[in-house]
Amino acid sequence: MSGNVQRNRIHFVMVTNVLFQKTLFAALLLTAPFVCAQNNPDPSIKPGDDFYCYANGRWLATAAIPAGQATYDNRAMINEQTALRVRDLIHNAASAHSAKGSITQQVGDYYASFMDRATIDAKGMAPLADEMVAIAAITNKTELSAYLGSTLNSEVDGLTANADHIFGIWVNQGFEDADHNLPHIWQGGLGLPDRDNYLDASPKMAELRTHYQVHIAAVLKLAGIADSETKAPRILALETQIAQAFAPDSDASDVSKQNNPWKRSDFATKAPGLDWDAYFKSAGLATQTDFIVWQPSAVIGVSKLAVTQDIATWQDYLRFHLVEHYASVLPAAVRDEHFAFYGKILSGAQQPPNPKDAREKDAIAATNAALGQAVGQLYTQQYFPPEAKAAAQAMAANLIAAFRGRIKNLTWMTPPTKQKALAKLAAFKIFIGYPDTWIDYSSLDVKRSDAVGNTRRAEAFNRSRNLAQLKRPLDPSLENIDWPINAQIPGAVIMFSPNAEFFSAGILQPPYFDSNGDAASNYGSAGAGMAHEISHSFDELGNIYDAQGRINDWWTAEDRSQYQAAAAKLVAQMNAYCPLVNLCVNGKQVQTESIADLAGLLVAHDAYILSLKGKPDQPIGGLSGEQRFFLAYAQRWRKIQDEPSLRKQIASDTHPPGEYRSDAVRNIDAWYKAFDASPGDKLYLDPKDRVSIW
Ligand SMILES: [Zn+2]
């Protein structure tokens, strides 16, 4: 609802950029030679001159950027297709009226209750009456603390956002303790996305705050609360004080700032104010002794506010946020007010052209959030059978074997560091498709006519599951690990802590990966994407986390300087790519990702060779396995984008444009052999100028 700032990329990276692609091979095989008709009228492009164009010309000539978008690529295509599949699965579940307690019933009824606006409108604010009574009953600091404890919700993770409530909890291993799950406590409680929205003195932000105050008053009025006009500024003032206690956004990328182990007794001494006994008791954490406090300043500041702010202001703040939290399942007037502020003013969105479609999208997102692994089961039953999982797992095993060989042969890494890298790789876990054991939702009561109740029960269910993890010893095999991504969401997650990566079923589909398709193409596309991500666990991003996912910098100063020296040639290569006359790639800015692209390509190629087990690859459509591998690699990067988007990407993205990611092939000897690239070709690099790094 409110903030969704991506934070702490170092600790936990959600890969939202293009990872994998696999060629739409059949179509291309029939239409050789590949011609980059649109970008380059020369009908006889030599692969050695423009491999990206050679591989993608036909697609580039016909693809179009959808209206209202700035870019289009394979990833967008997969997202669209997967969204339609998930929509249909949920629709079918809703019309099936399955037996109570089955996942089909739960998914279908959760969605149906969200879509049933007539019932939602008829109930008015009644579904929140009990919570309103609880807020009204607060008379002192201890009762306030107990109420705030009851709102400690598992709505944050190591990746996104500040909590919707005053604090949020994320259960994960400790930064220095790989044997126990710990509660990680996050700052939260702001209605505007960012600390700066409250503290920035610019006229633009001041105007935003004025709009927000009007919104607060409107929500209070809709909730039947008297004197909304005088209460709104007090609520805004309280939030401003909370914002002042927030850690600055710049802290988010520095994990050492978040690694603050607190004992339970530290809260009273370090952060006086709140009655912490009452708080943790009602949060279900009465016996918890160890915590990680991500933003101590927020815990200290908010705790103080429990005594400096009067109870009445806290009550109004809590009433307002209670309504905001459930706005999407409250009557039309509340939903409209919510959209008027968050949709129109904050995000600049217009009234959705088709309100039913917009509602449907929200309902699907809410169902995915509440019952993610139930939807995931429906998705994988249909689209990612066990054979697909096994095929992708076999590919992952070859990628890891290939990466092991690469680490052993590194020249820039010192021998003791290599041993640490190999130990980290030995402990590294890669999870494919979907969890072996799904979450058992059978105790979650989902009712077709109770949208607010369903939301609240799902939140309580997820919170108690998370708290239960605190009691469970951590298994080094990570077999019981909670997946941080749902199977039906196209994407991957790198979790340095623990030492694991996850690739969803949603991302492992054509054109990236086809378990029944050509292995060479799978390796060139999905394989190179997975190897790119694996390399991050060992590169300048992952080098501060050890084999057990603990903070422990395992590179030496010598490793660091030799790595940077090895990177210099690649940086120079990237600097020379200029898509427009006055616009060139910034090699330093894209260094980390370009090294990972190259690592992905090299490791995937080694792994492809491993997969052949010494047998020659069979040509398909006149193309050798080597040719199909590199074509698939180039095709995973195809992308069309308008000029502003290209300029924006080059100015700020750590990933270079797709064409130049595809051009990584010019560093690989096997590519020269596969396509007869020779001196004089535009992409030709003298062997001494070819870079590998990994
Ligand atoms: Zn990357």
Side-chain angles (χ1 to χ4, degrees):
M1 155 158 78
S2 51
N4 199 29
V5 184
Q6 274 221 346
R7 1 186 94 242
N8 201 43
R9 289 157 192 274
I10 302 292
H11 184 58
F12 185 92
V13 181
M14 175 74 150
V15 180
T16 52
N17 215 312
V18 176
L19 279 192
F20 332 113
Q21 296 179 12
K22 178 190 162 291
T23 168
L24 284 168
F25 221 78
L28 284 161
L29 287 175
L30 301 171
T31 54
F34 309 109
V35 180
C36 212
Q38 195 178 45
N39 288 15
N40 188 332
D42 184 347
S44 56
I45 283 178
K46 281 175 76 179
D49 279 341
D50 189 345
F51 192 61
Y52 176 77
C53 221
Y54 172 79
N56 296 304
R58 193 157 290 278
W59 185 82
L60 291 166
T62 54
I65 299 174
Q69 307 288 317
T71 68
Y72 191 66
D73 57 15
N74 284 359
R75 181 59 185 268
M77 195 174 80
I78 280 205
N79 285 344
E80 269 169 32
Q81 173 173 293
T82 311
L84 292 176
R85 286 174 170 179
V86 169
R87 183 199 67 183
D88 290 347
L89 288 167
I90 293 178
H91 279 180
N92 291 342
S95 49
H97 296 274
S98 298
K100 178 85 181 172
S102 63
I103 56 166
T104 322
Q105 176 266 325
Q106 290 172 313
V107 167
D109 285 353
Y110 198 95
Y111 172 83
S113 72
F114 197 103
M115 289 301 289
D116 184 357
R117 282 167 289 183
T119 299
I120 288 172
D121 292 351
K123 289 189 179 192
M125 303 301 282
L128 296 183
D130 59 339
E131 283 289 302
M132 289 293 187
V133 168
I135 293 169
I138 298 170
T139 58
N140 58 40
K141 186 183 87 171
T142 296
E143 287 163 4
L144 172 66
S145 304
Y147 185 83
L148 290 175
S150 75
T151 68
L152 180 67
N153 216 340
S154 50
E155 59 207 5
V156 288
D157 57 36
L159 168 72
T160 47
N162 297 310
D164 205 20
H165 295 97
I166 231 43
F167 301 123
I169 180 173
W170 179 48
V171 175
N172 197 49
Q173 76 173 62
F175 286 112
E176 293 164 87
D177 178 358
D179 301 324
H180 300 96
N181 270 321
L182 293 174
H184 294 244
I185 303 294
W186 280 58
Q187 64 190 8
L190 301 181
L192 293 172
D194 232 2
R195 174 182 186 264
D196 286 351
N197 297 139
Y198 294 88
L199 308 182
D200 185 334
S202 70
K204 203 175 149 209
M205 283 302 155
E207 195 193 331
L208 177 67
R209 290 191 287 274
T210 305
H211 282 298
Y212 183 51
Q213 188 176 309
V214 171
H215 168 67
I216 296 172
V219 169
L220 293 178
K221 207 166 168 201
L222 288 167
I225 293 159
D227 299 327
S228 57
E229 302 293 333
T230 49
K231 286 173 177 172
R234 286 188 212 145
I235 291 171
L236 178 58
L238 173 54
E239 288 192 25
T240 304
Q241 286 179 271
I242 295 171
Q244 279 159 349
F246 262 43
D249 280 353
S250 55
D251 280 7
S253 57
D254 180 356
V255 78
S256 67
K257 298 252 170 74
Q258 288 123 23
N259 180 22
N260 306 292
W262 282 28
K263 292 283 178 196
R264 169 66 184 78
S265 54
D266 287 336
F267 284 85
T269 51
K270 290 183 176 171
L274 275 172
D275 180 337
W276 290 105
D277 286 339
Y279 181 89
F280 283 119
K281 187 169 173 232
S282 83
L285 289 164
T287 57
Q288 181 67 33
T289 54
D290 291 274
F291 297 79
I292 307 278
V293 174
W294 278 50
Q295 299 94 2
S297 64
V299 170
I300 293 164
V302 168
S303 184
K304 207 179 290 167
L305 288 170
V307 278
T308 56
Q309 282 290 314
D310 58 285
I311 294 289
T313 302
W314 272 112
Q315 286 172 308
D316 290 328
Y317 165 89
L318 291 169
R319 289 177 180 115
F320 165 64
H321 280 276
L322 176 67
V323 177
E324 288 282 84
H325 185 70
Y326 294 105
S328 61
V329 279
L330 289 174
V334 176
R335 298 196 302 269
D336 291 348
E337 173 54 37
H338 194 78
F339 181 78
F341 181 73
Y342 286 101
K344 281 190 201 158
I345 293 173
L346 207 58
S347 314
Q350 297 307 306
Q351 200 61 44
N354 183 342
K356 183 175 173 290
D357 286 354
R359 184 70 186 168
E360 193 175 89
K361 242 175 124 179
D362 290 348
I364 290 168
T367 309
N368 271 326
L371 288 154
Q373 289 202 13
V375 179
Q377 286 177 66
L378 300 176
Y379 179 85
T380 53
Q381 280 162 14
Q382 188 117 19
Y383 298 109
F384 199 75
E387 308 82 73
K389 179 163 171 162
Q393 282 172 327
M395 185 168 77
N398 281 331
L399 293 169
I400 287 175
F403 195 52
R404 189 178 305 122
R406 290 249 150 214
I407 291 173
K408 284 182 179 162
N409 290 330
L410 290 180
T411 51
W412 59 266
M413 196 179 261
T414 57
T417 305
K418 267 195 213 182
Q419 291 312 311
K420 289 176 186 165
L422 290 168
K424 182 168 180 178
L425 186 65
F428 177 77
K429 296 281 182 297
I430 189 158
F431 294 94
I432 301 288
Y434 54 87
D436 286 337
T437 309
W438 296 99
I439 292 174
D440 175 6
Y441 291 103
S442 57
S443 64
L444 175 58
D445 186 14
V446 181
K447 296 178 184 163
R448 206 172 180 93
S449 58
D450 187 10
V452 173
N454 289 340
T455 311
R456 291 172 67 178
R457 284 186 294 273
E459 285 175 349
F461 176 87
N462 285 318
R463 174 167 52 180
S464 69
R465 269 197 82 254
N466 276 296
L467 294 184
Q469 311 263 24
L470 291 169
K471 308 257 184 275
R472 229 165 58 178
L474 267 175
D475 174 359
S477 74
L478 302 182
E479 257 167 39
N480 297 324
I481 196 168
D482 249 19
W483 275 53
I485 184 167
N486 288 322
Q488 70 277 20
I489 306 297
V493 171
I494 311 175
M495 265 184 103
F496 297 146
S497 175
N499 179 18
E501 295 186 12
F502 301 79
F503 297 85
S504 73
I507 198 78
L508 291 167
Q509 61 171 307
Y512 295 169
F513 178 81
D514 181 353
S515 59
N516 299 313
D518 171 39
S521 304
N522 284 339
Y523 276 91
S525 175
M530 290 168 88
H532 168 121
E533 304 307 337
I534 294 169
S535 77
H536 277 323
S537 286
F538 300 84
D539 69 5
E540 58 200 293
L541 299 179
N543 64 7
I544 57 167
Y545 290 92
D546 68 14
Q548 280 70 47
R550 295 170 300 204
I551 294 187
N552 191 354
D553 188 349
W554 50 275
W555 281 21
T556 64
E558 195 182 347
D559 297 315
R560 243 171 265 282
S561 75
Q562 290 181 174
Y563 172 85
Q564 292 298 340
K569 263 200 239 175
L570 187 63
V571 169
Q573 227 176 73
M574 302 311 293
N575 278 335
Y577 293 136
C578 302
L580 299 171
V581 177
N582 55 357
L583 186 72
C584 299
V585 173
N586 176 347
K588 203 68 204 159
Q589 179 183 307
V590 299
Q591 173 184 306
T592 311
E593 293 304 330
S594 299
I595 292 173
D597 281 344
L598 193 49
L601 180 58
L602 288 160
V603 170
H605 187 260
D606 291 354
Y608 166 61
I609 304 293
L610 277 179
S611 77
L612 295 174
K613 300 195 174 103
K615 289 186 218 120
D617 188 64
Q618 297 303 313
I620 298 177
L623 292 165
S624 69
E626 290 281 334
Q627 288 173 326
R628 302 195 307 275
F629 172 89
F630 287 110
L631 278 169
Y633 180 78
Q635 285 164 353
R636 68 191 277 258
W637 298 125
R638 65 195 188 187
K639 177 174 186 173
I640 41 174
Q641 59 191 142
D642 63 20
E643 190 182 319
S645 145
L646 178 67
R647 287 187 179 278
K648 194 171 155 207
Q649 179 175 4
I650 287 190
S652 57
D653 201 324
T654 54
H655 303 82
E659 176 173 357
Y660 309 127
R661 303 184 78 172
S662 154
D663 285 347
V665 296
R666 62 202 291 233
N667 292 296
I668 318 290
D669 297 342
W671 173 77
Y672 288 84
K673 226 172 126 189
F675 290 97
D676 273 336
S678 50
D681 289 352
K682 289 187 187 123
L683 290 176
Y684 183 84
L685 285 174
D686 193 87
K688 72 170 171 21
D689 295 324
R690 296 174 199 167
V691 192
S692 60
I693 302 174
W694 285 101

